[in-house]
Amino acid sequence: MSQIAIKVENLGKSYRLGTLGTQSLKEDIINWFSGQKSVKHKENTHWALRNINFEIERGSAVGVVGKNGAGKSTLLKLLSRTTAPTTGSIKILGKISSLLEVGTGFHPELTGRENVFLNGAIMGMTKTDIRSKFDEIVEFSGVSRFLDTPVKRYSSGMYVRLAFAVAAHLETEIMIIDEVLAVGDVEFQKKCVDKMKQVTGNEGRTVLFVSHNIASVKALCNYGLFLESGQLRLAGTVQEISDAYISSNRGFVESTELALRTDRTGSGAVQLVDFFLRDMAGNQIDTILTGEDIEFCFTLKCGNEKARNIDLGLNFYDPEERNMGTLYSSYQKVYFDAEPHEIFSVRCVIPGFPFTIGTYRLGVRIVVNNEEADWLLAGAAFVRVENGDFFGTGSPGFSKHYMTNYLGRWHIERN
Amino acid sequence: MEKKDNWSIEILPKASLLDLKLGEFWKYRDLILLFVKRELVPTYKQTILGPLWFVLQPLLTTFVYSIIFGVVARIPTDGLPQLLFYMPGIVLWNFFNSAFMKSSGTFNANSHIFGKVYFPRLILPVSGLLASLVNFGIQLGLFIVILLFYKISGTTITPGWHLLLSPVILLIVSLYSLGVGLIISAFTTRYKDLSHLLAFGSQLLMYATPIIYPASIVPEKFKWVSLINPLSPVFEAFRYSFLGVGQFLVTRLVISFIAGIFVFLLGLVVFNKAERTSIDTI
């Protein structure tokens, strides 16, 4: 016997493109009088979500995945009622709260204690609720010493910890959790993950978890929703969702030219425009053999201004989206400069490529003067690795069972 | 199987115009008090004089008006000491203006909260009104102290039984400050021009209301201003209740009251419609 906690039918949300100004006033007036939307209005609409249908059973943990712009945040906004849908309906059983609004309504002049009450009430708790949870919240946040200090004197870490503590102690049947875990120090992050696991483990509580990170979705959820360009591509078990998401990601990365990609964050001071692999003979290759020396070749383009202290990093994600290893040029004290509009190449040889058979997603991040300049959200490329002679002995090892090879120096001693 | 009415929340594209969700509003009553506190407490935090600012502010305003309008412009005050004449109007105007400014800025000032979490939006303008009411109470107390001081030192002041009607006067002022404020806030989500006009408009309204002058001195050709301004009889009546000067026009008060109820209800409906998608356009 399972109950439906959230039922979404034919949900759609459209936004008007362009700016609001005198034109929009004129249009509004015309619309009011004619009683229907003008043709122009239709042309200028963008559907952030369209024809979404799904049901979520009570007590399940559902991961919502999708690229930027797929409609995840719009779906969250609709579920948390900060804006109304254009079409369709959402039906919810029980109280709903979301952890994406950490610290909403915190007033800098008020003390930590006062803000706990205010923030809790904004999220729908009564005074009595908060009072009964107060000690727990304070203990969780770890800022008990500063409770009577205005929060404007808090460090940003303390601020976020207190805010998250309030949110995490809401007693609602349905929780929406965004990737807020990127806050605070490592110890606090662990605390948050544990808290989330506890929440999801609790009987009867339904959790929606929104993330780019497939690995954490897999760790926390049993079902998933995969959104793509405003449509629901797939609803299913977390394994199905993760497979579909990764393969769509791969299709996108492999079919789109790097220079034309728009799924990037960063200032754009220097951007990655091309990438390829070479063996030591200088031939361009598309498959790496484990143990081979491989040259990673990056073509970078400098923006309008001279860039100094450029630092380039690459990391490899395994098929489960776990980060297998990261290398920044700065780790080896290598920095470089670029002139405005210059196109140049950076090459990095990795001797004895350590990862075993499989397809790895390569992430590339460019940092200029400690500020992120370019980061491709879906990764720069997918790298295929086949068995090679890593150990130089012809032994393939037992590589189906692990991801990384390493060499040792052996000594045998006898008395 | 779930029954049709079992859902606790149903989110639909359009809500009925008259569904004002008052039950939900009541559920969030604790939040109203906390917002009132949030409005009031920071005004005196980190000041040397602390809550004293609540009374200093109207005193200083009255002082400035006494000099400009009394001493320089020599506007008559119905034979009363200027301080005494200006104060009830200023105190009541402060209440109106602060509640009005707070409610008309609801969407613009709180978009960061509204974009993230849902609660009945009406809570904010209502808390703004209550916070203004607290301020008003303090200032009124100060005025009464000054009034008694003058009375004891021999000035002829004759407060009437009309004082008993001052809650009604407060109610009328509240209806207008909230009602007009709600309407304006709903429109500012799309047209920010309004927020620029606001400070100017409120100042204009202040001079169109008998606050720093008695209604009796308004020249014939400007009488219509005071006739169409629903706040005029209210402010006159308020001063009359305390000081016994000016006019107490029952019919015009009743008209103001009824019109105020309509403005307020219109405000509620418009606001309710705007709150659903305010965050998309702001």
Side-chain angles (χ1 to χ4, degrees):
Chain A
M1 271 301 285
S2 55
Q3 237 178 335
I4 305 295
I6 302 176
K7 183 175 178 149
V8 169
E9 285 171 312
N10 196 27
L11 189 70
K13 174 76 185 172
S14 68
Y15 287 98
R16 185 143 106 178
L17 297 178
T19 51
L20 290 167
T22 41
Q23 199 58 39
S24 62
L25 176 61
K26 199 172 129 196
E27 245 180 86
D28 278 352
I29 293 170
I30 294 170
N31 288 344
W32 280 332
F33 281 106
S34 64
Q36 57 191 20
K37 304 280 180 207
S38 64
V39 182
K40 188 151 182 255
H41 185 269
K42 274 182 194 146
E43 280 169 5
N44 283 335
T45 348
H46 164 69
W47 286 87
L49 274 184
R50 202 160 199 185
N51 297 328
I52 306 286
N53 289 283
F54 63 84
E55 286 182 355
I56 291 175
E57 279 178 15
R58 200 172 143 196
S60 50
V62 181
V64 181
V65 300
K67 282 196 268 297
N68 274 14
K72 284 177 303 191
S73 19
T74 307
L75 181 63
L76 287 194
K77 276 189 193 161
L78 294 176
L79 282 170
S80 55
R81 288 206 281 170
T82 54
T83 185
T86 315
T87 63
S89 69
I90 303 172
K91 289 165 185 158
I92 295 168
L93 188 68
K95 256 174 110 177
I96 190 162
S97 69
S98 46
L99 287 199
L100 52 158
E101 55 255 15
V102 255
T104 304
F106 264 39
H107 193 294
E109 295 285 348
L110 299 179
T111 66
R113 183 189 307 277
E114 289 163 334
N115 270 311
V116 167
F117 278 93
L118 181 63
N119 189 231
I122 287 182
M123 301 211 263
M125 288 160 108
T126 64
K127 233 176 184 166
T128 344
D129 289 343
I130 306 168
R131 206 167 282 141
S132 69
K133 290 253 162 189
F134 189 78
D135 293 336
E136 244 178 279
I137 293 174
V138 172
E139 200 201 324
F140 186 85
S141 71
V143 299
S144 51
R145 272 181 58 214
F146 308 98
L147 265 191
D148 294 305
T149 309
V151 293
K152 66 175 177 182
R153 309 230 180 284
Y154 279 30
S155 73
S156 55
M158 283 157 63
Y159 187 95
V160 169
R161 287 207 311 253
L162 186 64
F164 186 86
V166 184
H169 286 83
L170 291 169
E171 292 241 306
T172 50
E173 289 90 352
I174 303 168
M175 297 196 90
I176 304 173
I177 302 172
D178 203 349
E179 283 174 304
V180 281
L181 296 175
V183 298
D185 47 39
V186 178
E187 194 188 331
F188 188 71
Q189 278 181 23
K190 191 183 168 307
K191 236 173 162 177
C192 297
V193 173
D194 290 347
K195 181 78 197 172
M196 277 169 56
K197 282 194 174 143
Q198 186 197 325
V199 167
T200 42
N202 269 7
E203 186 110 7
R205 291 181 85 177
T206 313
V207 174
L208 270 129
F209 179 63
V210 183
S211 177
H212 285 299
N213 187 344
I214 282 286
S216 48
V217 169
K218 280 179 97 167
L220 290 164
C221 305
N222 41 19
Y223 293 97
L225 300 170
F226 174 20
L227 294 172
E228 201 173 54
S229 343
Q231 310 262 358
L232 182 63
R233 220 343 248 276
L234 185 69
T237 65
V238 76
Q239 188 60 51
E240 288 165 0
I241 293 298
S242 133
D243 292 347
Y245 180 65
I246 290 168
S247 72
S248 106
N249 209 6
R250 187 173 170 188
F252 166 72
V253 169
E254 287 178 345
S255 65
T256 317
E257 230 178 288
L258 265 174
L260 304 176
R261 294 263 299 272
T262 51
D263 60 318
R264 22 177 40 124
T265 58
S267 66
V270 174
Q271 285 192 325
L272 181 68
V273 291
D274 196 16
F275 166 74
F276 55 91
L277 295 169
R278 285 204 308 211
D279 62 15
M280 284 300 101
N283 303 316
Q284 205 162 319
I285 52 169
D286 53 11
T287 304
I288 300 175
L289 300 179
T290 307
E292 222 183 348
D293 296 350
I294 297 292
E295 190 169 38
F296 288 75
C297 308
F298 306 94
T299 309
L300 307 188
K301 183 171 191 247
C302 186
N304 298 329
E305 277 164 51
K306 194 177 161 88
R308 287 176 189 283
N309 297 325
I310 306 172
D311 177 15
L312 187 140
L314 52 158
N315 54 356
F316 297 89
Y317 297 90
D318 77 356
E320 304 287 304
E321 284 292 314
R322 286 176 299 218
N323 188 350
M324 301 301 293
T326 301
L327 173 66
Y328 273 87
S329 63
S330 59
Y331 297 171
Q332 297 175 293
K333 296 271 178 284
V334 175
Y335 295 94
F336 39 97
D337 296 346
E339 297 299 322
H341 305 293
E342 188 188 1
I343 296 175
F344 60 105
S345 91
V346 176
R347 293 196 296 273
C348 168
V349 175
I350 296 183
F353 192 77
F355 302 129
T356 59
I357 185 164
T359 300
Y360 296 81
R361 188 165 70 87
L362 174 70
V364 174
R365 188 159 170 268
I366 300 166
V367 175
V368 176
N369 266 331
N370 289 322
E371 195 198 331
E372 180 174 275
D374 194 25
W375 166 246
L376 290 140
L377 294 171
F382 279 77
V383 175
R384 224 171 64 228
V385 181
E386 296 287 353
N387 274 329
D389 191 13
F390 180 84
F391 304 102
T393 60
S395 164
F398 210 41
S399 58
K400 272 188 186 146
H401 298 267
Y402 50 80
M403 310 303 289
T404 312
N405 283 314
Y406 44 93
L407 286 173
R409 277 203 294 274
W410 303 85
H411 298 282
I412 291 111
E413 247 175 56
R414 284 202 185 83
N415 289 328
Chain B
M1 280 276 86
E2 79 274 7
K3 279 193 214 99
K4 204 184 163 214
D5 300 322
N6 243 352
W7 305 105
S8 13
I9 306 164
E10 273 194 64
I11 304 170
L12 298 165
K14 286 206 163 72
S16 141
L17 276 184
L18 299 173
D19 176 16
L20 299 176
K21 293 173 287 193
L22 295 177
E24 200 176 31
F25 187 79
W26 178 245
K27 265 192 223 154
Y28 277 88
R29 59 191 180 279
D30 284 343
L31 184 57
I32 300 184
L33 294 180
L34 285 161
F35 271 132
V36 171
K37 198 170 159 194
R38 191 185 79 152
E39 293 279 347
L40 292 176
V41 172
T43 30
Y44 63 80
K45 276 218 171 165
Q46 226 180 25
T47 57
I48 296 164
L49 297 176
L52 216 56
W53 277 112
F54 286 125
V55 296
L56 272 179
Q57 191 265 337
L59 268 185
L60 292 174
T61 319
T62 314
F63 181 68
V64 170
Y65 286 172
S66 304
I67 290 180
I68 295 177
F69 301 109
V71 178
V72 180
R74 291 170 193 271
I75 296 173
T77 55
D78 278 350
L80 283 171
Q82 284 151 359
L83 182 67
L84 219 45
F85 181 84
Y86 293 137
M87 252 195 112
I90 289 172
V91 166
L92 190 62
W93 176 259
N94 279 348
F95 168 59
F96 171 81
N97 196 40
S98 123
F100 171 65
M101 285 298 179
K102 277 175 185 150
S103 58
S104 57
T106 304
F107 289 112
N108 276 332
N110 298 293
S111 56
H112 61 289
I113 301 183
F114 289 176
K116 288 179 177 170
V117 61
Y118 174 82
F119 53 85
R121 304 314 193 206
L122 192 57
I123 294 223
L124 274 164
V126 169
S127 342
L129 180 83
L130 292 179
S132 312
L133 195 62
V134 171
N135 264 328
F136 170 79
I138 297 170
Q139 298 182 4
L140 187 70
L142 171 74
F143 167 64
I144 290 172
V145 169
I146 293 174
L147 185 73
L148 290 176
F149 174 79
Y150 270 99
K151 184 111 179 127
I152 291 165
S153 47
T155 319
T156 356
I157 308 156
T158 45
W161 59 270
H162 301 92
L163 264 185
L164 297 175
L165 288 178
S166 41
V168 180
I169 286 176
L170 272 187
L171 181 64
I172 301 176
V173 174
S174 307
L175 287 175
Y176 280 102
S177 60
L178 261 191
V180 181
L182 291 180
I183 294 171
I184 289 178
S185 74
F187 282 104
T188 47
T189 62
R190 295 179 78 85
Y191 310 109
K192 299 222 170 160
D193 315 51
L194 274 175
S195 48
H196 297 298
L197 285 174
L198 215 57
F200 173 71
S202 123
Q203 214 165 32
L204 205 66
L205 182 63
M206 188 189 115
Y207 290 117
T209 310
I211 292 167
I212 40 131
Y213 57 85
S216 54
I217 68 148
V218 178
E220 207 52 48
K221 66 174 184 179
F222 288 120
K223 276 271 195 287
W224 61 272
V225 176
S226 129
L227 272 173
I228 59 162
N229 177 1
L231 291 179
S232 301
V234 183
F235 276 75
E236 274 286 298
F238 190 67
R239 183 156 51 216
Y240 182 83
S241 313
F242 280 98
L243 304 174
V245 297
Q247 304 155 305
F248 195 97
L249 305 165
V250 180
T251 333
R252 289 198 51 202
L253 270 180
V254 171
I255 295 172
S256 285
F257 193 11
I258 293 170
I261 292 173
F262 277 110
V263 169
F264 175 67
L265 290 179
L266 181 68
L268 273 186
V269 169
V270 172
F271 184 85
N272 210 37
K273 191 164 155 40
E275 76 163 32
R276 297 177 54 79
T277 54
S278 69
I279 211 66
D280 301 342
T281 47
I282 206 151

